[in-house]
Amino acid sequence: MTCYDRRDLGLLLLRLGTGGVLAAHGTQKLFGWFGGHGLAGTGQFMESVGYAPGKASATAAGLAETGGGLLLALGLATPAAGAAAAGAMAGAAAVHLPNGFFAQEGGYEHAASLGLAAACLAVTGPGRLSLDHAFWHVFDRGWMVPAALGATAAATAVVVGARNRRLRRTAEGEQETLFEE
């Protein structure tokens, strides 16, 4: 290669693949595209797995996946895009965690892979075949990486923690009576 090296091409392919999959999943949630259920159906699902309010949770997840995915694919605002997508995938992984690792058993494998790829792109940057590079990395500064990942980790911990508390309270309320009176 002349202008660009293999690393830039590899990052472009990783960004396009990861970003494309994330954006497709997000549009399922937001608009019902690609066989998705839109905000109403996804909101009901989110409520059923402990994310409340459901419609707001579906909107947040859909925007993080769609926006983060599109921005990753374009290589624009890469630290924030990667962090947003990784946070959404951490929330998805929490839902699938009880099923183990492998996706065929309903596990968190897919969400973890997408989240890890998004986080790695946030850390490594988009490469020279990107809008960040074309715009002189105005939205891709070194300090933005820990800021974006730290803020997303904190927000994700709060949201997933609230979900887990909600699920525990629900499970405690649904326990069978041990002794009949």
Side-chain angles (χ1 to χ4, degrees):
M1 304 188 96
T2 55
C3 288
Y4 304 103
D5 62 14
R6 292 181 354 206
R7 179 182 176 275
D8 293 316
L9 182 58
L11 286 170
L12 172 66
L13 294 173
L14 182 60
R15 286 192 350 260
L16 290 173
T18 303
V21 170
L22 284 162
H25 277 280
T27 60
Q28 286 180 311
K29 290 172 180 65
L30 294 175
F31 311 118
W33 295 355
F34 309 113
H37 299 287
L39 283 177
T42 304
Q44 289 175 345
F45 171 75
M46 296 293 254
E47 236 3 279
S48 77
V49 296
Y51 288 113
K55 192 168 182 179
S57 298
T59 302
L63 288 173
E65 291 175 17
T66 303
L70 289 174
L71 289 172
L72 280 175
L74 295 170
L76 181 62
T78 305
M89 291 300 97
V95 171
H96 296 281
L97 189 64
N99 301 322
F101 179 72
F102 292 104
Q104 72 222 31
E105 302 295 325
Y108 62 94
E109 169 186 17
H110 185 66
S113 297
L114 286 173
L116 181 61
C120 288
L121 286 166
V123 171
T124 62
R128 291 184 289 176
L129 298 170
S130 67
L131 288 179
D132 274 336
H133 183 72
F135 296 143
W136 304 281
H137 296 276
V138 172
F139 304 109
D140 179 32
R141 304 280 186 209
W143 64 267
M144 294 175 180
V145 175
L149 290 172
T152 299
T156 301
V158 168
V159 170
V160 172
R163 171 196 177 260
N164 291 343
R165 283 189 300 283
R166 196 173 296 111
L167 291 176
R168 269 194 309 277
R169 280 194 309 268
T170 301
E172 289 169 359
E174 293 177 1
Q175 288 182 351
E176 294 181 26
T177 307
L178 295 177
F179 301 103
E180 303 245 354
E181 295 181 20

